[in-house]
């Protein structure tokens, strides 16, 4: 790295946080954040930087647009993740700034002139040993860090990372003290969706369960653990474990797709409500799952498209598994329920979510799932039908009826040819 002469003369610049961490892990670096010591907001403005920080001094570089924050300390005031008082001044040292950060692997700085690392809390060692460890007891002042720990595990567990025992103990204390109850819904869902788009979203659930946070943040999901399923369909038996396996398959089938991940997370919520006398069967769990899904989405203020798509998967995933047995008219109704002709992207999202469900079972991770291909094919055949393809003498509602009948026939014809080539496996 080279020095940037746009900086005030007394300022010292360091690359910090995720950019340094990811470089040490050998991962691609996308975002770069900088910390400056030895300068003031007035000096930054005088050198062409633009102030953007509302709560503490952050500036945009006049040429690159990258963010430069002045070194600062933080003091907690009140409960929850808000109420921090930031203090930035030229005398704040780099180690003092790094001490306020969450994990040691994020508390490493690199001098932009010499590339020398400043690592007062052993972050490089923890990267080498693959340990997620908190920097200081101040970690407990921000309950959002429990979620961040779980999200980091969703990203880094595949690299061999684990949570340090003392950090997990601190997280357990934070949950027991009720700190998580002060988190606002939007912040919870933001961490959740980022975890669902990571390489191992199942480790997000495992980490939250390990510190008792899952029952606080996602009680509808936590309730699935310990609920048995029929071993002939689900060799893993436990519904919570099945949900973890579905998330693993979601990340495999649709890497980075947060929406498919959310559908996988919530598709079986109804199984927690199954009456004990019919266990391990779960007759009607699809419709039963819609109410807890609605409660979860309302509580976390889940975006409409996430809530709607999750409801479609929750209600119809078993129908998708039975696609090869369904009449053409029933398949058309399935497509209409997901509003596929206006929102064609939902067909693939639905197919991927249901495939993740089918493969999220012990020993069946690589099972064939022709239903996904079938649904895409019959939708393409049905969507190709237009008003111009029906009797031009028809008027009014008769046109819609004729289009529907033509779509049913197109689905019937396409299904007939595909049934000859493969048979879907049974899923419950």
């Amino acid at each position: 790295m080279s020095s940037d002469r746009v900086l005030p003369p007394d300022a010292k610049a360091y690359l910090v946080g995720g950019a340094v961490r990811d470089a040490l892990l050998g991962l691609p670096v996308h975002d770069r954040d900088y910390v400056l010591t030895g300068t003031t907001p007035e000096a930054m403005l005088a050198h062409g930087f633009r102030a953007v920080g509302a709560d503490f001094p952050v500036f945009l570089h006049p040429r690159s647009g990258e963010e430069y924050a002045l070194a600062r300390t933080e003091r907690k005031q009140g409960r929850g993740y808000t109420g921090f008082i930031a203090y930035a001044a030229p005398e704040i040292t780099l180690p003092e700034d790094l001490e306020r950060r969450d994990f040691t692997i994020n508390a490493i700085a690199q001098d932009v002139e010499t590339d020398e690392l400043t690592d007062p809390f052993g972050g490089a060692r923890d990267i080498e040993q693959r340990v997620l460890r908190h920097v200081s007891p101040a970690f407990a002042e921000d309950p959002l860090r429990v979620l961040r720990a779980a999200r980091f595990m969703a990203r880094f567990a595949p690299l061999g990372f684990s949570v340090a025992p003392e950090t997990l103990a601190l997280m357990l204390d934070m949950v027991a003290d009720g700190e998580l109850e002060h988190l606002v819904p939007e912040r919870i869902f933001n961490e959740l969706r980022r975890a669902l788009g990571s390489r191992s979203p199942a480790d997000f659930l495992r980490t939250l369960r390990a510190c008792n946070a899952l029952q606080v943040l996602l009680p509808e999901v936590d309730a699935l653990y310990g609920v048995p399923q029929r071993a002939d369909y689900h060799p893993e038996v436990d519904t919570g474990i099945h949900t973890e396996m579905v998330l693993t398959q979601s990340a495999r089938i649709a890497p980075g797709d947060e929406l498919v991940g959310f559908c996988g997370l919530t598709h079986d919520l109804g199984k927690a409500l199954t009456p004990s006398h019919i266990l391990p069967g779960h007759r009607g769990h699809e419709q039963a799952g819609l109410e807890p899904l609605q409660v979860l989405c309302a509580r976390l203020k889940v975006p409409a498209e996430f809530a709607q798509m999750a409801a479609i998967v929750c209600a119809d995933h078993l129908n998708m598994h039975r696609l090869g047995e369904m009449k053409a008219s029933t398949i058309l109704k399935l497509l209409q329920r997901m509003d596929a002709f206006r929102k064609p992207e939902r067909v693939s999202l639905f197919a991927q979510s249901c495939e993740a469900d089918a493969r999220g079972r012990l020993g069946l991770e690589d099972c064939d799932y022709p239903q996904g291909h079938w649904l895409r094919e019959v939708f393409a055949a049905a969507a190709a039908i237009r008003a111009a393809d029906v009797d031009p003498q028809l008027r009014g509602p008769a046109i819609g009826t004729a289009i529907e009948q033509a779509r049913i026939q197109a689905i019937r014809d396409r299904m007939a040819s595909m049934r000859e080539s493969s048979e879907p496996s049974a899923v419950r």
Side-chain angles (χ1 to χ4, degrees):
M1 300 179 187
S2 61
S3 176
D4 194 325
R5 298 306 178 188
V6 173
L7 296 177
D10 294 331
K12 186 74 173 173
Y14 302 89
L15 184 66
V16 293
V20 181
R21 176 200 68 217
D22 290 349
L24 291 175
L25 283 167
L27 300 175
V29 174
H30 299 293
D31 299 316
R32 298 177 184 273
D33 296 312
Y34 298 88
V35 159
L36 295 175
T37 60
T39 191
T40 64
E42 294 77 16
M44 295 294 286
L45 295 173
H47 281 75
F49 284 77
R50 181 164 60 91
V52 293
D55 300 320
F56 47 84
V58 178
F59 301 86
L60 296 182
H61 192 284
R63 291 203 294 263
S64 69
E66 292 178 312
E67 286 192 0
Y68 286 72
L70 301 193
R72 68 184 189 272
T73 59
E74 291 177 346
R75 180 167 56 86
K76 177 70 171 174
Q77 189 177 62
R79 291 174 67 87
Y81 70 95
T82 59
F84 286 92
I85 299 176
Y87 175 69
E91 65 268 20
I92 299 297
T93 65
L94 182 61
E96 287 176 321
D97 179 272
L98 295 174
E99 188 176 11
R100 66 177 175 78
R101 298 176 185 270
D102 48 11
F103 303 105
T104 60
I105 63 173
N106 295 331
I108 309 171
Q110 185 173 18
D111 190 309
V112 301
E113 294 183 344
T114 67
D115 289 348
E116 181 182 359
L117 295 181
T118 298
D119 182 19
F121 305 104
R125 176 201 61 217
D126 285 342
I127 286 175
E128 183 178 346
Q129 296 179 356
R130 299 299 197 256
V131 176
L132 190 67
R133 191 191 317 275
H134 65 284
V135 171
S136 75
F139 179 94
E141 296 176 350
D142 185 356
L144 190 65
R145 288 175 169 175
V146 172
L147 275 162
R148 283 175 57 82
R151 176 168 61 80
F152 276 126
M153 287 303 296
R155 183 181 179 193
F156 293 130
L159 301 180
F161 272 81
S162 61
V163 180
E166 62 269 30
T167 300
L168 184 60
L170 186 56
M171 291 162 62
L172 279 161
D173 289 341
M174 293 168 68
V175 175
D177 289 342
E179 281 290 326
L180 271 61
E181 297 169 10
H182 300 276
L183 291 171
V184 299
E186 293 86 351
R187 299 300 292 273
I188 297 172
F189 184 71
N190 183 57
E191 295 294 326
L192 170 61
R193 69 183 297 173
R194 294 176 69 182
L196 292 173
S198 297
R199 289 180 60 191
S200 183
D203 279 291
F204 179 78
L205 296 188
R206 296 185 189 111
T207 305
L208 291 181
R209 274 197 87 216
C211 66
N212 298 328
L214 190 63
Q215 62 186 345
V216 176
L217 301 171
L218 294 168
E220 299 86 358
V221 176
D222 186 68
L224 296 173
Y225 287 89
V227 177
Q229 304 165 106
R230 286 178 53 178
D232 49 342
Y233 288 116
H234 286 277
E236 73 284 354
V237 179
D238 189 299
T239 307
I241 300 302
H242 167 61
T243 300
E244 292 181 4
M245 296 180 72
V246 172
L247 288 180
T248 297
Q249 292 301 317
S250 298
R252 175 186 176 189
I253 293 165
D257 196 314
E258 301 165 351
L259 183 48
V260 172
F262 186 70
C263 291
L265 177 71
T266 59
H267 79 289
D268 264 352
L269 296 184
K271 289 184 176 179
L273 304 177
T274 300
S276 59
H277 69 276
I278 69 169
L279 291 174
H282 290 279
R283 186 175 61 253
H285 76 275
E286 315 97 290
Q287 292 300 316
L290 292 175
E291 183 176 349
L293 173 61
Q294 185 178 30
V295 171
L296 183 156
C297 290
R299 185 179 68 251
L300 297 186
K301 298 184 179 180
V302 172
E305 181 60 17
F306 277 73
Q308 293 167 10
M309 196 67 227
I312 292 166
V313 174
C314 180
D316 276 312
H317 62 277
L318 287 194
N319 286 327
M320 178 62 173
H321 299 330
R322 294 189 286 254
L323 193 69
E325 307 164 14
M326 290 165 56
K327 297 187 298 184
S329 59
T330 307
I331 294 174
L332 179 61
K333 289 177 182 176
L334 172 63
L335 292 169
Q336 291 170 335
R337 282 197 298 277
M338 70 177 75
D339 202 10
F341 297 103
R342 287 197 315 119
K343 299 180 178 181
E345 69 279 2
R346 286 185 171 182
V347 175
S348 185
L349 289 168
F350 180 73
Q352 290 173 320
S353 299
C354 294
E355 182 178 354
D357 177 37
R359 291 184 172 180
R361 298 178 294 160
L362 188 63
L364 298 167
E365 294 86 352
D366 296 309
C367 69
D368 290 334
Y369 194 74
Q371 292 94 322
H373 171 67
W374 289 19
L375 188 70
R376 294 180 180 93
E377 287 288 313
V378 298
F379 171 68
I385 304 298
R386 296 289 187 267
D389 300 321
V390 303
D391 188 342
Q393 296 182 359
L394 296 176
R395 296 291 182 269
I399 298 175
T401 301
I403 291 174
E404 185 167 299
Q405 290 302 313
R407 284 175 170 171
I408 291 172
Q409 187 59 50
I411 292 171
R412 184 180 294 117
D413 293 343
R414 193 71 190 94
M415 285 296 293
S417 64
M418 291 188 295
R419 281 194 181 100
E420 297 174 358
S421 59
S422 62
E423 284 295 330
S425 58
V427 187
R428 295 290 184 270

